[in-house]
């Protein structure tokens, strides 16, 4: 899943980005409200973590601009102000969740996963589909048989995206955009390699190829 982190703190921003990448998210970082707003409009992010106290343009104004343009990307607000009025303003502006500083990175990751599942129509708890379960802490997949297979970082991101979008036709370009960071070398042809690796671990029938169109993830017949 691809995230945008808009945070101007010179220590917190890069540290959070590193932690989110380690947790299996392809995370871009912006330290300015104006740049962050533009990135949120242009790039196909799955979720945005947005600080309120930003230089250039306040986070609430950024969020309001996105929503006024029908940008429905899920947004979690970060703020140093643990004030109920800020929470109300954030939710009125269109935030999906709220986290006050200081916070534990683990809590943010749990909230991100919960919002992503909720927005995809999944159970907010463990990510599972058709007998497959994703262990997000260990970045592994658990099969119906109980067998557990470790996943590489890219395999984990790809399977999570598939499981959050079952029975949908997903092109190689779409998958590439949601698995890699902005400054990564994006070669959509490499996606076929990772799809085949996943098939070897979960079973070939789980991912169907539509020639010239992409892939469909779903429970085998």
């Amino acid at each position: 899943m691809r995230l945008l982190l808009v945070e101007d703190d010179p220590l917190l921003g890069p540290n959070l980005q590193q932690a989110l990448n380690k947790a299996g998210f392809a995370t871009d970082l912006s330290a300015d409200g104006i740049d962050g707003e533009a990135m949120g409009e242009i790039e196909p992010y799955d979720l945005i973590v947005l600080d309120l106290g930003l230089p250039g343009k306040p986070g609430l104004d950024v969020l309001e601009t996105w929503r006024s343009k029908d940008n429905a990307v899920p947004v979690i607000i970060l703020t140093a102000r643990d004030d109920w009025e800020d929470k109300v303003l954030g939710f009125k502006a269109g935030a999906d969740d709220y986290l006050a500083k200081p916070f534990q990175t683990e809590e943010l990751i749990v909230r991100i996963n919960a919002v992503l599942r909720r927005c995809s129509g999944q159970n907010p708890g463990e990510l599972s589909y058709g007998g497959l379960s994703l262990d997000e802490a260990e970045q592994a997949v658990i099969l119906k048989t109980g067998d557990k297979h470790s996943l590489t970082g890219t395999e984990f991101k790809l399977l999570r995206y598939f499981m959050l979008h079952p029975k949908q036709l997903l092109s190689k370009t779409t998958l590439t955009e949601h698995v890699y960071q902005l400054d990564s070398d994006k070669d959509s042809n490499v996606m076929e390699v990772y799809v085949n690796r996943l098939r070897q671990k979960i079973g070939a029938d789980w991912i169907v190829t539509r020639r010239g169109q992409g892939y469909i993830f779903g429970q085998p017949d």
Side-chain angles (χ1 to χ4, degrees), residues 35-111:
D35 291 341
E37 179 182 300
M39 292 172 69
E41 291 175 354
I42 297 170
E43 298 295 325
Y45 293 108
D46 298 291
L47 184 141
I48 297 176
V49 179
L50 177 67
D51 185 37
L52 291 187
L54 295 170
K57 187 171 184 177
L60 277 177
D61 292 348
V62 172
L63 179 56
E64 288 174 346
T65 299
W66 287 334
R67 296 306 190 230
S68 70
K69 296 181 179 179
D70 295 325
N71 185 346
V73 61
V75 175
I76 296 177
I77 285 177
L78 301 180
T79 179
R81 299 164 294 182
D82 190 12
D83 190 314
W84 69 268
E85 291 183 348
D86 289 325
K87 295 179 183 180
V88 171
L89 290 173
F91 284 123
K92 283 186 175 181
D96 295 271
D97 203 351
Y98 183 104
L99 196 56
K101 300 175 184 176
F103 56 84
Q104 296 296 320
T105 303
E106 291 79 4
E107 181 181 0
L108 175 60
I109 292 171
V110 168
R111 288 178 180 268

Side-chain angles (χ1 to χ4, degrees), residues 155-194:
E155 290 169 355
F156 175 74
K157 296 173 191 174
L158 180 59
L159 182 55
R160 179 165 54 189
Y161 194 78
F162 272 136
M163 292 178 71
L164 287 169
H165 301 84
K167 299 186 182 298
Q168 297 183 30
L169 178 60
L170 303 171
S171 68
K172 289 182 182 178
T173 300
T174 296
L175 294 172
T176 301
E177 288 177 340
H178 289 271
V179 167
Y180 293 108
Q181 293 169 246
L182 184 63
D183 56 355
S184 299
D185 184 14
K186 301 176 182 178
D187 184 354
S188 61
N189 292 322
V190 177
M191 195 55 60
E192 186 172 347
V193 174
Y194 287 108

